[in-house]
Amino acid sequence: MSLRLEAEQAMGLRFPERNGEAVIRFEETMEVPHGAEVLMRGLYRDPEDIKKGFKNLHQETANLLEILMPRRARLREWLEELPEQPKEAESFLRETSEKIQHQDHRVSQLENELISKLAESSLEDLFPLPLSAFATLSYTDPSVKIFLRTLGRLAEILKLSPEVLRQVVRVHFLNSLLILAGQDLDGQSFQRGNEDAILIGIASFFTIKHLKKHPPEFQHCYGEWVKAWGGKSFLRLIPQESSIEKARAAMIFWRRNPELSWDDIWNGLHSFELEKVTSPRALSSWPVR
């Protein structure tokens, strides 16, 4: 069964068809959208300053080696034959020791400064990113555009499989598009306005349910992606222990009744027993048009 058919079956919705083909505007692109620039640039607040820090540290380390290498060669000579003048050896060791201490202090100072700058350039400065950095979902002309380069960059940073990440994001946005553009089995279409939080929450619930049929890596990739754009709160819209049937019933009511809030619908359904939720008699009093 195709991914599209699985989504339609799970939600009890179907995409509109034209000449027997589902009408799905689903695009993947290599462009980098506005809002993803920081992700693509990397984790550094000031990359040029970091480069300068490494350059200075490299130079001072080279200076330290210039002191150490002659000292090492002279010590090797003295292993084979003692120096002719003890005072000369004492003076040499004292002088080079002072130089090494001074240069070592300089290298340690630069290392600590660079460590501090690197510590400031952390993942906390990068996340959360806007969801639009990874994909856009259009309400006016229902469609999805997924930005593959930003997904690939995220996979690189978080050490995730790029292909698995791409697949789980596709599932999420296919579910989102189905909720937005799909029709009920009786032909009723979506009637609400732009309500991103609820749409994302419902799509996330059905995505997680779908991914449970796959290896744990898929759920892990999805969870890391959701955290990257600050979407963890949306996962609590529908408790994961809820049944697909209950979520489907609430979603259909929500799509068809703009005067009711999601909380009104969910709390109302919660008062029914599961077997009554899917019963036409139990739902006959609900204002479904």
mmCIF file of all heavy atoms in Angstrom, residues 109-158:
data_model
loop_
_atom_site.group_PDB
_atom_site.id
_atom_site.type_symbol
_atom_site.label_atom_id
_atom_site.label_comp_id
_atom_site.label_asym_id
_atom_site.label_seq_id
_atom_site.Cartn_x
_atom_site.Cartn_y
_atom_site.Cartn_z
ATOM 1 N N GLN A 109 46.870 30.707 27.362
ATOM 2 C CA GLN A 109 45.967 31.852 27.359
ATOM 3 C C GLN A 109 45.116 31.877 26.094
ATOM 4 O O GLN A 109 43.884 32.069 26.148
ATOM 5 C CB GLN A 109 46.786 33.141 27.493
ATOM 6 C CG GLN A 109 45.946 34.407 27.606
ATOM 7 C CD GLN A 109 46.807 35.646 27.715
ATOM 8 O OE1 GLN A 109 47.918 35.698 27.167
ATOM 9 N NE2 GLN A 109 46.320 36.649 28.419
ATOM 10 N N LEU A 110 45.752 31.678 24.955
ATOM 11 C CA LEU A 110 45.024 31.662 23.685
ATOM 12 C C LEU A 110 44.058 30.478 23.616
ATOM 13 O O LEU A 110 42.948 30.605 23.082
ATOM 14 C CB LEU A 110 46.006 31.614 22.513
ATOM 15 C CG LEU A 110 46.787 32.901 22.243
ATOM 16 C CD1 LEU A 110 47.820 32.678 21.150
ATOM 17 C CD2 LEU A 110 45.840 34.037 21.849
ATOM 18 N N GLU A 111 44.479 29.333 24.137
ATOM 19 C CA GLU A 111 43.595 28.159 24.152
ATOM 20 C C GLU A 111 42.342 28.441 24.964
ATOM 21 O O GLU A 111 41.222 28.115 24.532
ATOM 22 C CB GLU A 111 44.338 26.955 24.734
ATOM 23 C CG GLU A 111 45.320 26.313 23.781
ATOM 24 C CD GLU A 111 46.049 25.150 24.404
ATOM 25 O OE1 GLU A 111 46.094 25.077 25.648
ATOM 26 O OE2 GLU A 111 46.581 24.315 23.651
ATOM 27 N N ASN A 112 42.501 29.042 26.149
ATOM 28 C CA ASN A 112 41.343 29.335 27.005
ATOM 29 C C ASN A 112 40.411 30.339 26.352
ATOM 30 O O ASN A 112 39.179 30.225 26.444
ATOM 31 C CB ASN A 112 41.816 29.853 28.367
ATOM 32 C CG ASN A 112 42.486 28.773 29.197
ATOM 33 O OD1 ASN A 112 42.170 27.594 29.054
ATOM 34 N ND2 ASN A 112 43.406 29.178 30.060
ATOM 35 N N GLU A 113 40.972 31.356 25.686
ATOM 36 C CA GLU A 113 40.137 32.332 24.982
ATOM 37 C C GLU A 113 39.342 31.665 23.868
ATOM 38 O O GLU A 113 38.148 31.946 23.685
ATOM 39 C CB GLU A 113 41.024 33.445 24.405
ATOM 40 C CG GLU A 113 41.645 34.354 25.444
ATOM 41 C CD GLU A 113 42.588 35.369 24.834
ATOM 42 O OE1 GLU A 113 42.713 35.376 23.578
ATOM 43 O OE2 GLU A 113 43.200 36.162 25.582
ATOM 44 N N LEU A 114 39.993 30.765 23.128
ATOM 45 C CA LEU A 114 39.322 30.087 22.019
ATOM 46 C C LEU A 114 38.261 29.125 22.538
ATOM 47 O O LEU A 114 37.172 29.016 21.953
ATOM 48 C CB LEU A 114 40.359 29.340 21.179
ATOM 49 C CG LEU A 114 39.867 28.705 19.874
ATOM 50 C CD1 LEU A 114 39.153 29.732 19.004
ATOM 51 C CD2 LEU A 114 41.034 28.083 19.120
ATOM 52 N N ILE A 115 38.544 28.452 23.634
ATOM 53 C CA ILE A 115 37.557 27.543 24.232
ATOM 54 C C ILE A 115 36.308 28.320 24.647
ATOM 55 O O ILE A 115 35.178 27.863 24.444
ATOM 56 C CB ILE A 115 38.170 26.799 25.440
ATOM 57 C CG1 ILE A 115 39.171 25.751 24.955
ATOM 58 C CG2 ILE A 115 37.074 26.130 26.272
ATOM 59 C CD1 ILE A 115 39.963 25.105 26.075
ATOM 60 N N SER A 116 36.501 29.502 25.215
ATOM 61 C CA SER A 116 35.358 30.330 25.625
ATOM 62 C C SER A 116 34.505 30.739 24.430
ATOM 63 O O SER A 116 33.272 30.712 24.479
ATOM 64 C CB SER A 116 35.850 31.581 26.360
ATOM 65 O OG SER A 116 36.520 31.235 27.543
ATOM 66 N N LYS A 117 35.171 31.108 23.336
ATOM 67 C CA LYS A 117 34.432 31.497 22.128
ATOM 68 C C LYS A 117 33.674 30.315 21.542
ATOM 69 O O LYS A 117 32.535 30.455 21.075
ATOM 70 C CB LYS A 117 35.395 32.076 21.095
ATOM 71 C CG LYS A 117 35.997 33.408 21.489
ATOM 72 C CD LYS A 117 37.017 33.887 20.465
ATOM 73 C CE LYS A 117 37.655 35.201 20.876
ATOM 74 N NZ LYS A 117 38.690 35.653 19.907
ATOM 75 N N LEU A 118 34.298 29.143 21.549
ATOM 76 C CA LEU A 118 33.638 27.948 21.024
ATOM 77 C C LEU A 118 32.443 27.563 21.895
ATOM 78 O O LEU A 118 31.409 27.110 21.395
ATOM 79 C CB LEU A 118 34.630 26.784 20.940
ATOM 80 C CG LEU A 118 35.727 26.921 19.890
ATOM 81 C CD1 LEU A 118 36.770 25.825 20.067
ATOM 82 C CD2 LEU A 118 35.143 26.862 18.487
ATOM 83 N N ALA A 119 32.583 27.742 23.215
ATOM 84 C CA ALA A 119 31.483 27.398 24.123
ATOM 85 C C ALA A 119 30.266 28.291 23.889
ATOM 86 O O ALA A 119 29.121 27.880 24.111
ATOM 87 C CB ALA A 119 31.950 27.515 25.569
ATOM 88 N N GLU A 120 30.510 29.534 23.438
ATOM 89 C CA GLU A 120 29.401 30.443 23.142
ATOM 90 C C GLU A 120 28.640 30.035 21.888
ATOM 91 O O GLU A 120 27.481 30.410 21.710
ATOM 92 C CB GLU A 120 29.934 31.867 22.967
ATOM 93 C CG GLU A 120 30.496 32.484 24.236
ATOM 94 C CD GLU A 120 31.139 33.829 23.976
ATOM 95 O OE1 GLU A 120 31.197 34.213 22.778
ATOM 96 O OE2 GLU A 120 31.556 34.484 24.934
ATOM 97 N N SER A 121 29.293 29.291 21.011
ATOM 98 C CA SER A 121 28.676 28.864 19.748
ATOM 99 C C SER A 121 28.103 27.465 19.925
ATOM 100 O O SER A 121 28.654 26.477 19.459
ATOM 101 C CB SER A 121 29.717 28.876 18.615
ATOM 102 O OG SER A 121 30.266 30.148 18.455
ATOM 103 N N SER A 122 26.991 27.366 20.638
ATOM 104 C CA SER A 122 26.413 26.067 20.966
ATOM 105 C C SER A 122 25.100 25.859 20.239
ATOM 106 O O SER A 122 24.561 26.760 19.605
ATOM 107 C CB SER A 122 26.174 25.967 22.478
ATOM 108 O OG SER A 122 25.224 26.942 22.889
ATOM 109 N N LEU A 123 24.566 24.642 20.338
ATOM 110 C CA LEU A 123 23.295 24.329 19.692
ATOM 111 C C LEU A 123 22.152 25.178 20.238
ATOM 112 O O LEU A 123 21.179 25.449 19.544
ATOM 113 C CB LEU A 123 22.976 22.842 19.879
ATOM 114 C CG LEU A 123 23.902 21.859 19.154
ATOM 115 C CD1 LEU A 123 23.497 20.438 19.476
ATOM 116 C CD2 LEU A 123 23.873 22.076 17.659
ATOM 117 N N GLU A 124 22.278 25.609 21.497
ATOM 118 C CA GLU A 124 21.214 26.425 22.084
ATOM 119 C C GLU A 124 21.068 27.751 21.339
ATOM 120 O O GLU A 124 19.992 28.339 21.318
ATOM 121 C CB GLU A 124 21.506 26.689 23.564
ATOM 122 C CG GLU A 124 21.280 25.501 24.480
ATOM 123 C CD GLU A 124 22.354 24.428 24.339
ATOM 124 O OE1 GLU A 124 23.438 24.738 23.801
ATOM 125 O OE2 GLU A 124 22.102 23.276 24.743
ATOM 126 N N ASP A 125 22.165 28.221 20.734
ATOM 127 C CA ASP A 125 22.092 29.469 19.976
ATOM 128 C C ASP A 125 21.430 29.272 18.620
ATOM 129 O O ASP A 125 20.968 30.227 18.002
ATOM 130 C CB ASP A 125 23.505 30.039 19.755
ATOM 131 C CG ASP A 125 24.176 30.411 21.061
ATOM 132 O OD1 ASP A 125 23.476 30.951 21.934
ATOM 133 O OD2 ASP A 125 25.374 30.138 21.224
ATOM 134 N N LEU A 126 21.413 28.040 18.140
ATOM 135 C CA LEU A 126 20.876 27.759 16.810
ATOM 136 C C LEU A 126 19.394 27.413 16.856
ATOM 137 O O LEU A 126 18.621 27.853 16.014
ATOM 138 C CB LEU A 126 21.651 26.599 16.182
ATOM 139 C CG LEU A 126 21.218 26.149 14.792
ATOM 140 C CD1 LEU A 126 21.437 27.280 13.790
ATOM 141 C CD2 LEU A 126 21.998 24.916 14.374
ATOM 142 N N PHE A 127 18.990 26.626 17.841
ATOM 143 C CA PHE A 127 17.607 26.147 17.929
ATOM 144 C C PHE A 127 16.818 26.945 18.962
ATOM 145 O O PHE A 127 17.383 27.476 19.903
ATOM 146 C CB PHE A 127 17.604 24.662 18.304
ATOM 147 C CG PHE A 127 18.332 23.785 17.329
ATOM 148 C CD1 PHE A 127 19.381 22.973 17.752
ATOM 149 C CD2 PHE A 127 18.002 23.775 15.993
ATOM 150 C CE1 PHE A 127 20.059 22.167 16.860
ATOM 151 C CE2 PHE A 127 18.673 22.984 15.087
ATOM 152 C CZ PHE A 127 19.701 22.170 15.534
ATOM 153 N N PRO A 128 15.496 27.021 18.811
ATOM 154 C CA PRO A 128 14.724 26.401 17.734
ATOM 155 C C PRO A 128 14.717 27.249 16.462
ATOM 156 O O PRO A 128 14.807 28.467 16.523
ATOM 157 C CB PRO A 128 13.321 26.322 18.320
ATOM 158 C CG PRO A 128 13.242 27.483 19.257
ATOM 159 C CD PRO A 128 14.628 27.630 19.841
ATOM 160 N N LEU A 129 14.606 26.551 15.341
ATOM 161 C CA LEU A 129 14.471 27.187 14.042
ATOM 162 C C LEU A 129 12.994 27.283 13.686
ATOM 163 O O LEU A 129 12.179 26.519 14.213
ATOM 164 C CB LEU A 129 15.190 26.351 12.981
ATOM 165 C CG LEU A 129 16.709 26.284 13.090
ATOM 166 C CD1 LEU A 129 17.232 25.061 12.364
ATOM 167 C CD2 LEU A 129 17.339 27.539 12.518
ATOM 168 N N PRO A 130 12.621 28.195 12.799
ATOM 169 C CA PRO A 130 11.218 28.218 12.356
ATOM 170 C C PRO A 130 10.909 26.982 11.513
ATOM 171 O O PRO A 130 11.782 26.487 10.785
ATOM 172 C CB PRO A 130 11.126 29.498 11.523
ATOM 173 C CG PRO A 130 12.531 29.762 11.076
ATOM 174 C CD PRO A 130 13.418 29.267 12.180
ATOM 175 N N LEU A 131 9.707 26.474 11.635
ATOM 176 C CA LEU A 131 9.308 25.308 10.836
ATOM 177 C C LEU A 131 9.446 25.595 9.347
ATOM 178 O O LEU A 131 9.757 24.702 8.550
ATOM 179 C CB LEU A 131 7.870 24.917 11.174
ATOM 180 C CG LEU A 131 7.288 23.699 10.452
ATOM 181 C CD1 LEU A 131 8.153 22.465 10.684
ATOM 182 C CD2 LEU A 131 5.859 23.441 10.911
ATOM 183 N N SER A 132 9.257 26.862 8.981
ATOM 184 C CA SER A 132 9.358 27.247 7.565
ATOM 185 C C SER A 132 10.776 27.098 7.017
ATOM 186 O O SER A 132 10.985 27.202 5.817
ATOM 187 C CB SER A 132 8.891 28.691 7.383
ATOM 188 O OG SER A 132 9.671 29.580 8.166
ATOM 189 N N ALA A 133 11.770 26.865 7.895
ATOM 190 C CA ALA A 133 13.127 26.612 7.411
ATOM 191 C C ALA A 133 13.224 25.238 6.763
ATOM 192 O O ALA A 133 14.149 24.971 5.998
ATOM 193 C CB ALA A 133 14.127 26.708 8.568
ATOM 194 N N PHE A 134 12.270 24.350 7.070
ATOM 195 C CA PHE A 134 12.292 22.989 6.539
ATOM 196 C C PHE A 134 11.216 22.742 5.487
ATOM 197 O O PHE A 134 11.407 21.926 4.591
ATOM 198 C CB PHE A 134 12.121 21.986 7.683
ATOM 199 C CG PHE A 134 13.180 22.091 8.728
ATOM 200 C CD1 PHE A 134 12.914 22.697 9.942
ATOM 201 C CD2 PHE A 134 14.461 21.615 8.491
ATOM 202 C CE1 PHE A 134 13.907 22.809 10.915
ATOM 203 C CE2 PHE A 134 15.450 21.723 9.446
ATOM 204 C CZ PHE A 134 15.174 22.316 10.672
ATOM 205 N N ALA A 135 10.107 23.425 5.598
ATOM 206 C CA ALA A 135 9.022 23.215 4.625
ATOM 207 C C ALA A 135 7.988 24.313 4.786
ATOM 208 O O ALA A 135 7.900 24.954 5.843
ATOM 209 C CB ALA A 135 8.377 21.850 4.814
ATOM 210 N N THR A 136 7.221 24.548 3.740
ATOM 211 C CA THR A 136 6.100 25.482 3.802
ATOM 212 C C THR A 136 4.829 24.758 3.376
ATOM 213 O O THR A 136 4.849 23.939 2.457
ATOM 214 C CB THR A 136 6.325 26.700 2.888
ATOM 215 O OG1 THR A 136 6.582 26.245 1.546
ATOM 216 C CG2 THR A 136 7.509 27.525 3.376
ATOM 217 N N LEU A 137 3.753 25.084 4.071
ATOM 218 C CA LEU A 137 2.443 24.500 3.787
ATOM 219 C C LEU A 137 1.508 25.646 3.447
ATOM 220 O O LEU A 137 1.307 26.556 4.245
ATOM 221 C CB LEU A 137 1.935 23.723 5.002
ATOM 222 C CG LEU A 137 0.569 23.049 4.900
ATOM 223 C CD1 LEU A 137 0.595 21.926 3.875
ATOM 224 C CD2 LEU A 137 0.144 22.506 6.260
ATOM 225 N N SER A 138 0.956 25.639 2.240
ATOM 226 C CA SER A 138 0.099 26.727 1.782
ATOM 227 C C SER A 138 -1.368 26.397 2.035
ATOM 228 O O SER A 138 -1.833 25.296 1.724
ATOM 229 C CB SER A 138 0.325 26.984 0.290
ATOM 230 O OG SER A 138 -0.647 27.879 -0.211
ATOM 231 N N TYR A 139 -2.107 27.364 2.608
ATOM 232 C CA TYR A 139 -3.545 27.202 2.837
ATOM 233 C C TYR A 139 -4.353 27.626 1.614
ATOM 234 O O TYR A 139 -5.347 26.993 1.280
ATOM 235 C CB TYR A 139 -3.987 28.052 4.043
ATOM 236 C CG TYR A 139 -3.735 27.402 5.378
ATOM 237 C CD1 TYR A 139 -2.472 27.413 5.943
ATOM 238 C CD2 TYR A 139 -4.763 26.781 6.078
ATOM 239 C CE1 TYR A 139 -2.234 26.830 7.183
ATOM 240 C CE2 TYR A 139 -4.543 26.190 7.307
ATOM 241 C CZ TYR A 139 -3.276 26.219 7.858
ATOM 242 O OH TYR A 139 -3.050 25.627 9.079
ATOM 243 N N THR A 140 -3.938 28.730 0.992
ATOM 244 C CA THR A 140 -4.740 29.271 -0.107
ATOM 245 C C THR A 140 -4.793 28.316 -1.294
ATOM 246 O O THR A 140 -5.830 28.138 -1.920
ATOM 247 C CB THR A 140 -4.170 30.630 -0.552
ATOM 248 O OG1 THR A 140 -2.770 30.464 -0.867
ATOM 249 C CG2 THR A 140 -4.293 31.655 0.559
ATOM 250 N N ASP A 141 -3.640 27.720 -1.598
ATOM 251 C CA ASP A 141 -3.574 26.728 -2.667
ATOM 252 C C ASP A 141 -2.879 25.515 -2.073
ATOM 253 O O ASP A 141 -1.657 25.405 -2.154
ATOM 254 C CB ASP A 141 -2.786 27.281 -3.855
ATOM 255 C CG ASP A 141 -2.691 26.266 -4.987
ATOM 256 O OD1 ASP A 141 -3.512 25.334 -5.009
ATOM 257 O OD2 ASP A 141 -1.789 26.421 -5.839
ATOM 258 N N PRO A 142 -3.650 24.627 -1.434
ATOM 259 C CA PRO A 142 -3.029 23.580 -0.604
ATOM 260 C C PRO A 142 -1.872 22.864 -1.297
ATOM 261 O O PRO A 142 -2.027 22.204 -2.318
ATOM 262 C CB PRO A 142 -4.198 22.618 -0.344
ATOM 263 C CG PRO A 142 -5.410 23.479 -0.423
ATOM 264 C CD PRO A 142 -5.107 24.480 -1.500
ATOM 265 N N SER A 143 -0.689 23.065 -0.725
ATOM 266 C CA SER A 143 0.504 22.461 -1.291
ATOM 267 C C SER A 143 1.604 22.451 -0.237
ATOM 268 O O SER A 143 1.559 23.188 0.744
ATOM 269 C CB SER A 143 0.977 23.221 -2.535
ATOM 270 O OG SER A 143 1.296 24.554 -2.192
ATOM 271 N N VAL A 144 2.623 21.618 -0.483
ATOM 272 C CA VAL A 144 3.765 21.502 0.423
ATOM 273 C C VAL A 144 5.047 21.642 -0.389
ATOM 274 O O VAL A 144 5.162 21.087 -1.480
ATOM 275 C CB VAL A 144 3.767 20.137 1.154
ATOM 276 C CG1 VAL A 144 5.055 19.977 1.960
ATOM 277 C CG2 VAL A 144 2.561 20.011 2.067
ATOM 278 N N LYS A 145 5.997 22.406 0.151
ATOM 279 C CA LYS A 145 7.331 22.488 -0.435
ATOM 280 C C LYS A 145 8.335 22.148 0.669
ATOM 281 O O LYS A 145 8.376 22.813 1.701
ATOM 282 C CB LYS A 145 7.607 23.881 -0.993
ATOM 283 C CG LYS A 145 9.014 24.024 -1.587
ATOM 284 C CD LYS A 145 9.338 25.465 -1.955
ATOM 285 C CE LYS A 145 8.580 25.900 -3.198
ATOM 286 N NZ LYS A 145 9.034 27.242 -3.673
ATOM 287 N N ILE A 146 9.144 21.098 0.456
ATOM 288 C CA ILE A 146 10.134 20.648 1.432
ATOM 289 C C ILE A 146 11.524 21.064 0.969
ATOM 290 O O ILE A 146 11.889 20.880 -0.191
ATOM 291 C CB ILE A 146 10.070 19.120 1.626
ATOM 292 C CG1 ILE A 146 8.734 18.732 2.256
ATOM 293 C CG2 ILE A 146 11.215 18.632 2.520
ATOM 294 C CD1 ILE A 146 8.560 17.243 2.479
ATOM 295 N N PHE A 147 12.312 21.627 1.879
ATOM 296 C CA PHE A 147 13.650 22.128 1.569
ATOM 297 C C PHE A 147 14.698 21.091 1.967
ATOM 298 O O PHE A 147 15.041 20.935 3.146
ATOM 299 C CB PHE A 147 13.892 23.456 2.276
ATOM 300 C CG PHE A 147 12.859 24.500 1.945
ATOM 301 C CD1 PHE A 147 11.895 24.873 2.871
ATOM 302 C CD2 PHE A 147 12.836 25.084 0.685
ATOM 303 C CE1 PHE A 147 10.934 25.819 2.562
ATOM 304 C CE2 PHE A 147 11.883 26.042 0.358
ATOM 305 C CZ PHE A 147 10.919 26.407 1.305
ATOM 306 N N LEU A 148 15.210 20.372 0.989
ATOM 307 C CA LEU A 148 16.087 19.235 1.245
ATOM 308 C C LEU A 148 17.453 19.644 1.787
ATOM 309 O O LEU A 148 18.051 18.915 2.581
ATOM 310 C CB LEU A 148 16.261 18.417 -0.041
ATOM 311 C CG LEU A 148 14.996 17.738 -0.579
ATOM 312 C CD1 LEU A 148 15.315 16.978 -1.853
ATOM 313 C CD2 LEU A 148 14.408 16.792 0.463
ATOM 314 N N ARG A 149 17.964 20.788 1.371
ATOM 315 C CA ARG A 149 19.301 21.193 1.839
ATOM 316 C C ARG A 149 19.299 21.480 3.334
ATOM 317 O O ARG A 149 20.257 21.146 4.039
ATOM 318 C CB ARG A 149 19.794 22.409 1.062
ATOM 319 C CG ARG A 149 20.213 22.112 -0.377
ATOM 320 C CD ARG A 149 20.794 23.321 -1.053
ATOM 321 N NE ARG A 149 22.019 23.777 -0.395
ATOM 322 C CZ ARG A 149 22.619 24.938 -0.676
ATOM 323 N NH1 ARG A 149 22.087 25.754 -1.592
ATOM 324 N NH2 ARG A 149 23.721 25.281 -0.056
ATOM 325 N N THR A 150 18.253 22.106 3.825
ATOM 326 C CA THR A 150 18.204 22.389 5.262
ATOM 327 C C THR A 150 18.007 21.096 6.060
ATOM 328 O O THR A 150 18.555 20.948 7.155
ATOM 329 C CB THR A 150 17.104 23.398 5.599
ATOM 330 O OG1 THR A 150 15.856 22.949 5.064
ATOM 331 C CG2 THR A 150 17.416 24.757 5.016
ATOM 332 N N LEU A 151 17.241 20.158 5.521
ATOM 333 C CA LEU A 151 17.099 18.863 6.192
ATOM 334 C C LEU A 151 18.446 18.135 6.223
ATOM 335 O O LEU A 151 18.811 17.527 7.235
ATOM 336 C CB LEU A 151 16.057 17.995 5.478
ATOM 337 C CG LEU A 151 14.595 18.362 5.688
ATOM 338 C CD1 LEU A 151 13.704 17.426 4.877
ATOM 339 C CD2 LEU A 151 14.221 18.284 7.166
ATOM 340 N N GLY A 152 19.178 18.201 5.115
ATOM 341 C CA GLY A 152 20.483 17.552 5.065
ATOM 342 C C GLY A 152 21.459 18.174 6.046
ATOM 343 O O GLY A 152 22.237 17.468 6.701
ATOM 344 N N ARG A 153 21.413 19.500 6.172
ATOM 345 C CA ARG A 153 22.297 20.189 7.115
ATOM 346 C C ARG A 153 21.945 19.813 8.555
ATOM 347 O O ARG A 153 22.836 19.588 9.385
ATOM 348 C CB ARG A 153 22.184 21.693 6.917
ATOM 349 C CG ARG A 153 22.974 22.534 7.899
ATOM 350 C CD ARG A 153 24.463 22.265 7.798
ATOM 351 N NE ARG A 153 25.198 23.117 8.729
ATOM 352 C CZ ARG A 153 26.355 22.805 9.263
ATOM 353 N NH1 ARG A 153 26.939 21.659 8.967
ATOM 354 N NH2 ARG A 153 26.961 23.628 10.091
ATOM 355 N N LEU A 154 20.649 19.724 8.857
ATOM 356 C CA LEU A 154 20.228 19.319 10.202
ATOM 357 C C LEU A 154 20.693 17.899 10.504
ATOM 358 O O LEU A 154 21.175 17.615 11.601
ATOM 359 C CB LEU A 154 18.703 19.411 10.328
ATOM 360 C CG LEU A 154 18.152 19.033 11.704
ATOM 361 C CD1 LEU A 154 18.509 20.100 12.732
ATOM 362 C CD2 LEU A 154 16.639 18.841 11.655
ATOM 363 N N ALA A 155 20.541 17.003 9.528
ATOM 364 C CA ALA A 155 20.990 15.616 9.712
ATOM 365 C C ALA A 155 22.489 15.575 9.987
ATOM 366 O O ALA A 155 22.960 14.796 10.827
ATOM 367 C CB ALA A 155 20.648 14.796 8.469
ATOM 368 N N GLU A 156 23.255 16.434 9.295
ATOM 369 C CA GLU A 156 24.708 16.487 9.492
ATOM 370 C C GLU A 156 25.048 16.933 10.911
ATOM 371 O O GLU A 156 25.901 16.342 11.574
ATOM 372 C CB GLU A 156 25.314 17.446 8.468
ATOM 373 C CG GLU A 156 26.823 17.614 8.590
ATOM 374 C CD GLU A 156 27.364 18.667 7.642
ATOM 375 O OE1 GLU A 156 26.552 19.309 6.935
ATOM 376 O OE2 GLU A 156 28.578 18.854 7.620
ATOM 377 N N ILE A 157 24.367 17.963 11.393
ATOM 378 C CA ILE A 157 24.657 18.510 12.719
ATOM 379 C C ILE A 157 24.264 17.528 13.822
ATOM 380 O O ILE A 157 25.007 17.319 14.789
ATOM 381 C CB ILE A 157 23.917 19.851 12.913
ATOM 382 C CG1 ILE A 157 24.515 20.917 12.010
ATOM 383 C CG2 ILE A 157 23.964 20.302 14.371
ATOM 384 C CD1 ILE A 157 23.762 22.230 12.028
ATOM 385 N N LEU A 158 23.095 16.907 13.683
ATOM 386 C CA LEU A 158 22.574 16.021 14.733
ATOM 387 C C LEU A 158 22.964 14.559 14.543
ATOM 388 O O LEU A 158 22.515 13.700 15.304
ATOM 389 C CB LEU A 158 21.045 16.136 14.790
ATOM 390 C CG LEU A 158 20.484 17.526 15.104
ATOM 391 C CD1 LEU A 158 18.968 17.474 15.206
ATOM 392 C CD2 LEU A 158 21.087 18.080 16.388
#
